[in-house]
Amino acid sequence: MENRFRARFCVLILLACSIYSGLTLVGAQNRRPKNVQVAVRVKWSGTPLLLEAGELLSKESKNLFWEFIDDWLLHVAKTDGDSHSAKDCVKKIVKHGSFLLSEPLAPLFEYSLSLRSASPRLVLYRQLAEESLSSFPLPDDSYSNNERGLDANETADIKKFDPLLVGVNPKSPDGKCCWVDTGGALFFDVADLLLWLQRPNELGDASQQPETYDFDHIHFDSNIMSPVAILYGALGTDCFRGFHVTLTQAAKEGKVNYVVRPVLPSGCEAEVGLCGAVGARDSLNLGGYGVELALKNMEYKAMDDSAIKKGVTLEDPRTEDLNQEVRGFIFSKILERKSDLTSGIMAFRDYLLSSTISDTLDVWELKDLGHQTAQRIVQASDPLQSMQEINQNFPSVVSSLSRMKLNDSIKDEIIANQKMIPPGKSLMALNGALINIEDIDLYLLIDLVHQELSLADQFSKLKIPHSTVRKLLLTVTPPELNTFRVDFRSAHVHYLNNLEEDAMYRRWRNNINEILVPVFPGQPHYIRKNLYHAVYVLDPATVCGLQSIDMITSFYENTFPMRFGVILYSAQFIKKIEMSGGELHSSALEHDSEIENDKSSLIIQLFIYIKENHGPQTAFQFLSNVNRLRIESAESTDEAVEMHHIEGAFVETDLSKAKSSPQEILLKLKKEQTFKEMSQESSLSVFKLGVGTLQCCLLMNGLVFDSSEEALINAMSDELPRIQEQVYYGHINSRTDVLEKFLSENGISRYNPQILADGKVKRRFVSLASSILGGDSVLNEINYLHSPETVDDVKAVTHLLAVDVTSKKGIKLLREGIHYLIGGTQGARVGVLFSASQTADLPSLLLTKTFEITAASYSHKKKVLDFLDQLCSFYEHKYILRSTTAAESNQEFVDKVYELAEANELFSKAYKFLLPEASDLKLREHLNKVSQFLYRQLGIPSGVNAIITNGRVTPLGASVFLSDDLHLLESVEFRHRINHIVEIIEEVNWQDVDPDMLTSKYISDVIMFVSSSMDTRDRSTESARFEILNAEYSAVVVNNENSSIHIDAVVDPLSPSGQKLSSLLRVLAKYAHPSMRIVLNPLSSLGDLPLKNYYRYVVPTMDDFSSTDYTVNGPKAFFANMPLSKTLTMNLDVPEPWLVEPVIAIHDLDNIFLENLGDTRTLQAVFELEALVLTGHCAEKDHGPPRGLQLILGTKNTPHLVDTIVMANLGYWQMKVHPGVWYLQLAPGRSSELYFFRDGVDDGSQEKSLSKRIAINDLRGNVVHLEVVKKKGKEHEKLLISSDVDNQSKDKRQGHSSWNSKIFEWASSFIGGRDHSKKSDDCLKGHSKGGRHGKTINIFSIASGHLYERFLKIMILSVLKNTHRPVKFWFIKNYLSPPFKDVIPHMAREYGFDYELITYRWPTWLHKQTEKQRIIWAYKILFLDVIFPLSLEKVIFVDADQVVRADMGELYDMDIKGRPLAYTPFCDNNKEMDGYRFWRQGFWRDHLQGKPYHISALYVVDLVKFRETAAGDHLRVFYETLSKDPNSLANLDQDLPNYAQHRVPIFSLPQEWLWCESWCGNATKSRAKTIDLCNNPMTKEPKLQGARRIVHEWTDLDFEARKFTAKILGDEMDNPEALASSKKSVNDSSSEDMESKAEL
């Protein structure tokens, strides 16, 4: 009955509306709601989806790529008869790809394919293909690269030729679609390739081998030692099939190392079949970004009054979503019932839509808006869809939300939850690990989900129950804490003082609880207790060591509450130990002349003698005397210690109690053996501790720090809260030995920086599970060695030793592994993976066979480890350290095996039976198989020795690796990442496993495989306790026990992050089917609308692929039914690495007023992915970031395409790139003269560290961590030379120009740089004809929106008409419209000026602005040091809405007294504005301290001084501090430099350089050199009206600029007669310039 009544009621309303709409038909048509459509496309040409599918499968498993190729070649006919459209083809590709994947991974594969995330990888292959072709020019020149190997059409498509687009599709060479590159030749025909394969003598020239990369597809049957053959071609072509079959067979025969790089050359689309070419012919539209249409504040009417330009607009074919509720009506259902009233119903709907837009609500309506939104969401049938519809169309739905009756249970639960989490806070966790929702994007999220699903798939294949798999995936690896303490306690520690016993500390209190008493910041607690043991490990003959001694002495003399000590060592002695493989051969050292004359050893001997005879204070005084004499006699403070310094210091030291003269004692001590042995023992103890490699270091209660004074204070500050916590809980009292407690709990016997990663060296993990699941694996063949009597125990830790049996280092590692087991370990086992060079002799092979027999048959025997150790010792001395004749050595080795086996109670029978039977060929084949496994699966090159600990790969560098290091590895890895996995595995109820299989080895293997796989995940170690939040009434809960993915989230639905998350969560729900628990957390009290925008997050769907032809349309953002009478501004929310710019946009995207669209229903905008941003952080070893360090980036053929400098802020740098293989280098000049790159393993090979290879093969960019080291002899040189110092030195060196003033003329395109640097031919001719002469004036400006671009053209004309020197303009390109970018090259040619478009991506670490206007302000000031090239010395900023009346050369040449910045102070002669001069009162008056407050519309930047003084870094620090307060930096570009002028000084320009009607009286207008159109808070006068009234020449300049623009764009001028008359009336009234009351 109720439904019938509602239906009748609706019909009545509709009838009324039909009458209403008939009466106002014309008005309704004009008021029809409009739409907005946005797309983002890439710059490169489209890539085939078939090839993208292969790349996606290879991410899952390298073998899947080859299986997909074989499956496609076998089952898919080239005719594509059953595929009549792009959608059919995609379904076919998905079907064949999904067949190779497990069920949970298949939907994600389909989605990733529609997301086009593998396209950049194919672009990278294009670059390599082009390089391959260009290496071998064809005789007939058929591969003429046409500037880049492009065909004519593609050349036309690539606008203005972007040199960074290195992955341009190569043109088909001579009609060939495939070729094979062998390094020495290219083969375009299978017949030629077969001839080459039949000539083995031509195969193996290693010098001509093409380079292979980590991302390459290497055939699984290939031999990595064979010659490389790379096939470039596309799956689906006949030539690919022929080459693939041939090369696969050759790989199986061991002839080649077969690599495929998928490329479909331009012109070959017809050869690949219809499905093979899908995606290749269309431009590629991206998804995975957000588009915002914000309701714009039009307080100041800053809109262009020019007529809307006519242009081609493509109406979107999609229909409006009539299922969307409008004021309670679902119009799709009404239309179904009353189709005959369609026009009236739609008119009524349009009326409702246009009248429901709200950007304000009354206070009482806002009160519960957040709670009402939460209620609407949780009560919806599809809560995620409801959340998305609400927050992405908020202005249209807010009215209906505010009228909703609220359920108190929801409100109460939200308020209760907000006692545990701040209101409005949003968090999200994937399987327990927190995700940074500020930086999350669709590509990253899909990757994170994929790695979780892949792990779940691996674990299920290991027969781990699903419940355990979920538990494993939900565990979060605890963050790594630097709590390992080096146990340095020994007789070799020499303490200077003892706070508990020395008389000088007797007055101090000894109550340990005093440490809990608060003190002033920086003040230590003076307690008579040895709480801090600062023990310095140092070489006393080094500058660093002696400076540390002076620092210790200074602290001691000032009664600093710390116990100081030293452990002394000789670096020369330790070097000898390392050269001998870590073993001390006393006989070899006794007669070593270098050891005899070692200054460090002599100082240690004298120190020990003095300490024993005269006490520690005198001994330390002796070391201070050595340093004093060194400094006094040296020209610089860095001079090394000489022998006479040591002897002089010894004589000088107070030895009055000595019975003999100091000289006699010195001679006697030099010959004394006892003190020499004590010195060597001290050095040996440092070697065993492992801290000798750090040169000078501090051990603060065992924690390792560097030796600086700052490090000492920081170490004490770090240790204080740990001690306070222990005291508070009673674990430390007045009788506790603090050092004993800390070292017994966390002490390690050896320190190894390679194992205890300090954050600078990223640890590498590999999944051992994926390698064993791939089929026949080397890991299945390993038999493990154990400590005695632990064979049957489960081992949590597995060390796999990758040993090159022919190298001394390899055998040394093997012996240390055996010693490690002999020493005893309950929780670890050792497996050995032997490899060898091709020239390995038979004893080497027999050693591997002996190990195999021993581990397989005798691992349970008591003396098995002794046997292996003795055998290795014999092998090392007999075959590694010296060579013997082959015939003798083979039999001798075998006999030794028999002898040692009997001696260690092992039966020699097995050896006598198996060793003689061992085939040389089979042993070599096995070693080769291991080498292949190490290289492909673990990334360990041939000849490299390494330890793989539960998947963590530790390659051995130059330093010695001892058995203690294996204990350290075991301890670190077990504590940090294995222990929690063991606890879960121990609880497993193994149901699907044969009980006979459940051995300790099986469980140990599972632990090894699981722990190795878990740490390959790239995810956060942070987690949150979501379970404490209530989720009964105010949460969206989706249970799915079968899913491996669980999402926990806290979301404010009415927030920008909520807008994005709602879309991302819907994608996850559809393709990953997770369990979810989403707690809604809206703000409980609102003072204003939380969202004033419309938002769309663009996600791809299968509808992007045509179902009628073979085109791919790609995803787009579509806004239906947008408000007509509101001004909107468009912003894009793109992933961090993307730089995008509009390329098609007729209308002003900054001021969208849809009522002006006329008959057009849909406003179109197309953006382009201009580039990806490569970012990084650079540190200098043992120092801060190397500020000003220059980096260049390029390809192998063109090394310098982009350049940048390193900021002091976090050592940050960025560059623009496209997909490809790039090489990062230090720039020529001071950077490369002073520094080299330091690799993860510092093995001293500087030559290898001059460049870094970086592969960009996805849309997520890359973050590169660099560490640089100063070259030997350059340690104390400065990178940046002050221009003042430089100028002084220049006077002395006539003819040498200042390094700063001519800093690298190569700096041509900076930080993401300058896309267009144009100097027209006309401009050049103008110079020669007596046009503009002199030094170029550089002017910088920024504009957004058509009105300000109109102002900008006027500003340019005003500068050019008054300035006589050459001018170059620099424009921030981020917000420039396509029409402006089309006009400016023509304008530059016509008027004779240069210009460049520059850009810079906002750094992730810098506090972000969200409003477009504030972002524009920030670009004016925050990045001045990095956005311009180094060659630019000075630039003037001029506001776009300014008119210049003077020669800018006068300002450019003005002496600004060495200040980095020069601004004009605000005028003060317009008294009506006194109430608005905020800088004269309150905070600003106190802060400025009499300094003027300057206006930011015009300023000069001395870039040389700006960079020298780190002004940019200082400004960013001030900004970061102030910007987090929403009430500060109201006028960001102006407030920031004025606030910072005490640190970044400002030169005040003469007042006439900037006149503004709002602040300056008319009396000074005649002297104005520039006029700025300030906003007026009193009258709110529109900009255009004020411009015509205030500046009499403005109308002429505007007319000229608009006439020129219309001519270039082919538009008609807006009523020229009206313009002329307007111009005349303005001129007539110009003499009566009226003062306007305004504000900036």
Side-chain angles (χ1 to χ4, degrees), residues 49 86-87 90 111 113-116 278 282-283 285-287 318 1071 1098-1107 1109-1117:
L49 278 150
K87 187 174 283 188
V90 172
Y111 191 70
L113 192 61
S114 65
L115 194 56
R116 312 299 297 275
V278 167
D282 307 292
S283 61
N285 280 8
L286 294 173
R318 79 180 77 193
Y1071 292 97
V1098 183
V1099 295
T1101 67
M1102 285 300 286
D1103 293 334
D1104 299 330
F1105 304 101
S1106 172
S1107 55
D1109 57 24
Y1110 292 92
T1111 58
V1112 180
N1113 299 312
K1116 299 178 182 71

Side-chain angles (χ1 to χ4, degrees), residues 1276-1312:
H1276 301 284
E1277 289 193 31
K1278 289 185 177 179
L1279 178 62
L1280 295 181
I1281 305 171
S1282 168
S1283 56
D1284 301 331
V1285 174
D1286 210 30
N1287 288 334
Q1288 291 171 17
S1289 63
K1290 186 172 73 173
D1291 295 337
K1292 297 177 185 176
R1293 308 185 320 272
Q1294 289 298 323
H1296 287 72
S1297 62
S1298 160
W1299 178 77
N1300 275 353
S1301 65
K1302 294 195 174 180
I1303 190 170
F1304 294 162
E1305 293 181 4
W1306 47 260
S1308 60
S1309 63
F1310 221 65
I1311 294 200

Side-chain angles (χ1 to χ4, degrees), residues 599-671:
K599 300 186 193 88
S600 304
S601 294
L602 177 60
I603 295 175
I604 298 169
Q605 293 171 49
L606 297 176
F607 178 88
I608 295 170
Y609 169 81
I610 296 171
K611 182 190 172 190
E612 288 188 357
N613 288 276
H614 305 285
Q617 281 78 17
T618 311
F620 275 85
Q621 185 59 49
F622 158 68
L623 295 178
S624 295
N625 289 345
V626 172
N627 195 37
R628 180 175 53 77
L629 291 174
R630 179 190 67 84
I631 293 170
E632 287 174 358
S633 65
E635 291 184 8
S636 89
T637 57
D638 303 321
E639 294 289 330
V641 173
E642 300 295 341
M643 192 62 78
H644 63 87
H645 300 146
I646 302 166
E647 293 169 351
F650 184 74
V651 171
E652 230 181 72
T653 303
D654 183 20
L655 300 175
S656 57
K657 296 180 182 178
K659 296 176 182 177
S660 309
S661 69
Q663 290 82 353
E664 288 179 24
I665 296 170
L666 188 61
L667 289 170
K668 183 180 176 184
L669 281 173
K670 285 184 179 181
K671 297 176 183 177

Side-chain angles (χ1 to χ4, degrees), residues 47 219 293 305 431 453 506 533 550 589 615 692 878 887 977 981 1034 1142 1174 1469 1475 1605:
T47 51
H219 196 273
L293 291 180
D305 60 1
N431 278 351
L453 290 174
R506 276 183 188 157
H533 297 72
D550 278 359
L589 294 173
K878 190 79 175 175
R977 64 186 190 93
I981 292 170
S1034 61
L1174 174 68
N1469 52 343
T1605 300

Side-chain angles (χ1 to χ4, degrees), residues 203-250:
L203 300 184
D205 187 356
S207 62
Q208 293 187 332
Q209 297 270 321
E211 189 174 7
T212 58
Y213 304 98
D214 296 338
F215 50 77
D216 269 325
H217 306 297
I218 301 174
H219 196 273
F220 45 78
D221 286 326
S222 292
N223 184 342
I224 58 170
M225 306 307 292
S226 300
V228 175
I230 301 176
L231 170 56
Y232 292 95
L235 177 61
T237 56
D238 290 336
C239 59
F240 183 89
R241 181 190 295 269
F243 276 126
H244 174 68
V245 171
T246 304
L247 287 168
T248 300
Q249 185 59 38

Side-chain angles (χ1 to χ4, degrees), residues 963-1219:
S963 59
D964 283 341
D965 292 314
L966 284 168
H967 280 292
L968 178 59
L969 251 177
E970 177 190 345
S971 175
V972 169
E973 294 304 298
F974 182 77
R975 281 179 54 180
H976 178 58
R977 64 186 190 93
I978 301 172
N979 186 28
H980 58 283
I981 292 170
V982 174
E983 291 172 356
I984 294 172
I985 298 296
E986 283 177 344
E987 296 174 0
V988 173
N989 180 15
W990 299 94
Q991 296 174 342
D992 300 329
V993 181
D994 184 345
D996 294 337
M997 292 270 294
L998 283 175
T999 60
S1000 59
K1001 180 184 183 302
Y1002 182 88
I1003 304 297
S1004 300
D1005 284 348
V1006 169
I1007 292 169
M1008 174 178 72
F1009 295 141
V1010 170
S1011 58
S1012 69
S1013 298
M1014 293 276 280
D1015 281 280
T1016 57
R1017 293 190 292 183
D1018 181 17
R1019 66 183 211 150
S1020 168
T1021 57
E1022 295 182 32
S1023 59
R1025 295 184 58 202
F1026 290 93
E1027 69 277 2
I1028 66 172
L1029 298 175
N1030 301 310
E1032 188 177 351
Y1033 301 105
S1034 61
V1036 178
V1037 179
V1038 179
N1039 292 312
N1040 184 357
E1041 289 300 320
N1042 296 321
S1043 176
S1044 304
I1045 304 294
H1046 178 72
I1047 302 292
D1048 274 309
V1050 175
V1051 179
D1052 176 5
L1054 300 182
S1055 67
S1057 58
Q1059 289 178 315
K1060 181 164 73 172
L1061 283 178
S1062 60
S1063 295
L1064 293 176
L1065 289 169
R1066 287 196 72 193
V1067 170
L1068 285 186
K1070 184 175 181 181
Y1071 292 97
H1073 308 294
S1075 58
M1076 291 195 283
R1077 187 174 183 268
I1078 302 164
V1079 177
L1080 300 179
N1081 184 35
L1083 287 168
S1084 292
S1085 58
L1086 293 167
D1088 194 6
L1089 285 183
L1091 294 173
K1092 293 185 178 181
N1093 67 356
Y1094 294 87
Y1095 186 88
R1096 298 290 182 271
Y1097 195 80
V1098 183
V1099 295
T1101 67
M1102 285 300 286
D1103 293 334
D1104 299 330
F1105 304 101
S1106 172
S1107 55
T1108 57
D1109 57 24
Y1110 292 92
T1111 58
V1112 180
N1113 299 312
K1116 299 178 182 71
F1118 190 76
F1119 296 82
N1121 307 314
M1122 289 295 100
L1124 300 179
S1125 56
K1126 299 289 183 183
T1127 302
L1128 307 170
T1129 185
M1130 184 183 292
N1131 296 308
L1132 260 63
D1133 171 21
V1134 298
E1136 280 298 334
W1138 293 13
L1139 276 173
V1140 298
E1141 60 174 344
V1143 289
I1144 299 174
I1146 297 165
H1147 303 86
D1148 184 355
L1149 301 183
D1150 207 43
N1151 299 284
I1152 298 171
F1153 197 65
L1154 293 174
E1155 205 163 39
N1156 291 344
L1157 249 62
D1159 296 335
T1160 305
R1161 283 299 307 272
T1162 303
L1163 181 148
Q1164 305 275 340
V1166 177
F1167 289 75
E1168 192 169 72
L1169 179 63
E1170 182 208 345
L1172 296 168
V1173 181
L1174 174 68
T1175 61
H1177 300 274
C1178 184
E1180 183 179 349
K1181 188 172 185 288
D1182 300 328
H1183 295 84
R1187 180 175 66 84
L1189 186 76
Q1190 291 118 23
L1191 305 171
I1192 62 173
L1193 186 77
T1195 62
K1196 194 180 290 184
N1197 296 336
T1198 313
H1200 183 180
L1201 284 170
V1202 203
D1203 46 56
T1204 188
I1205 63 171
V1206 174
M1207 287 184 185
N1209 309 109
L1210 305 177
Y1212 179 81
W1213 55 269
Q1214 66 168 246
M1215 297 191 203
K1216 288 199 320 184
V1217 290
H1218 279 287

Side-chain angles (χ1 to χ4, degrees), residues 11 28 55 136 255 285 402 406 437 507 530 629 720 744 785 1020 1035 1039 1098 1235 1252 1333 1339 1409 1594:
V11 170
E55 298 305 307
F136 297 93
K255 290 182 179 179
N285 280 8
S402 65
L406 184 62
I437 58 173
R507 291 191 171 187
N530 293 323
L629 291 174
L720 175 62
S744 61
L785 297 171
S1020 168
N1039 292 312
V1098 183
Y1235 291 96
K1252 298 272 185 187
H1333 291 287
I1339 293 177
Q1409 294 294 328
W1594 189 91

Side-chain angles (χ1 to χ4, degrees), residues 503-754:
M504 62 189 294
Y505 307 111
R506 276 183 188 157
R507 291 191 171 187
W508 295 3
R509 298 183 181 182
N510 62 357
N511 183 0
I512 190 70
N513 291 315
E514 291 280 327
I515 203 165
L516 302 175
V517 176
V519 293
F520 288 108
Q523 180 185 337
H525 294 84
Y526 290 89
I527 302 170
R528 187 154 46 89
K529 181 89 179 148
N530 293 323
L531 299 175
Y532 306 101
H533 297 72
V535 175
Y536 285 80
V537 183
L538 52 89
D539 182 336
T542 61
V543 173
C544 166
L546 291 172
Q547 287 175 344
S548 297
I549 292 292
D550 278 359
M551 183 181 70
I552 291 169
T553 307
S554 173
F555 273 111
Y556 168 72
E557 288 171 352
N558 285 285
T559 62
F560 196 70
M562 188 174 286
R563 191 178 194 195
F564 292 101
V566 292
I567 306 176
L568 304 177
Y569 71 92
S570 162
Q572 202 168 347
F573 185 82
I574 285 182
K575 191 176 179 182
K576 288 289 179 186
I577 300 174
E578 288 181 343
M579 288 173 67
S580 67
E583 295 175 1
L584 182 62
H585 303 290
S586 55
S587 59
L589 294 173
E590 276 178 16
H591 307 292
D592 192 317
S593 60
E594 287 186 24
I595 297 296
E596 292 289 324
N597 300 317
D598 182 13
K599 300 186 193 88
S600 304
S601 294
L602 177 60
I603 295 175
I604 298 169
Q605 293 171 49
L606 297 176
F607 178 88
I608 295 170
Y609 169 81
I610 296 171
K611 182 190 172 190
E612 288 188 357
N613 288 276
H614 305 285
Q617 281 78 17
T618 311
F620 275 85
Q621 185 59 49
F622 158 68
L623 295 178
S624 295
N625 289 345
V626 172
N627 195 37
R628 180 175 53 77
L629 291 174
R630 179 190 67 84
I631 293 170
E632 287 174 358
S633 65
E635 291 184 8
S636 89
T637 57
D638 303 321
E639 294 289 330
V641 173
E642 300 295 341
M643 192 62 78
H644 63 87
H645 300 146
I646 302 166
E647 293 169 351
F650 184 74
V651 171
E652 230 181 72
T653 303
D654 183 20
L655 300 175
S656 57
K657 296 180 182 178
K659 296 176 182 177
S660 309
S661 69
Q663 290 82 353
E664 288 179 24
I665 296 170
L666 188 61
L667 289 170
K668 183 180 176 184
L669 281 173
K670 285 184 179 181
K671 297 176 183 177
E672 177 67 52
Q673 202 63 31
T674 308
F675 288 108
K676 186 181 290 185
E677 288 174 1
M678 292 171 73
S679 165
Q680 292 181 357
E681 286 171 9
S682 182
S683 296
L684 187 59
S685 73
V686 171
F687 169 75
K688 287 181 177 176
L689 284 175
V691 290
T693 55
L694 302 177
Q695 296 176 348
C696 297
C697 73
L698 160 67
L699 301 179
M700 171 60 76
N701 290 345
L703 295 174
V704 181
F705 296 88
D706 68 50
S707 59
S708 67
E709 182 176 331
E710 183 184 4
L712 176 69
I713 301 301
N714 290 339
M716 186 180 186
S717 301
D718 291 348
E719 195 74 331
L720 175 62
R722 298 188 192 107
I723 297 173
Q724 286 176 325
E725 183 182 3
Q726 298 271 1
V727 171
Y728 181 82
Y729 288 109
H731 303 313
I732 292 179
N733 56 44
S734 297
R735 296 180 299 280
T736 306
D737 185 328
V738 173
L739 187 65
E740 167 72 29
K741 177 177 174 58
F742 281 160
L743 295 183
S744 61
E745 289 176 354
N746 292 308
I748 53 175
S749 59
R750 180 168 164 81
Y751 176 81
N752 188 325
Q754 209 177 345

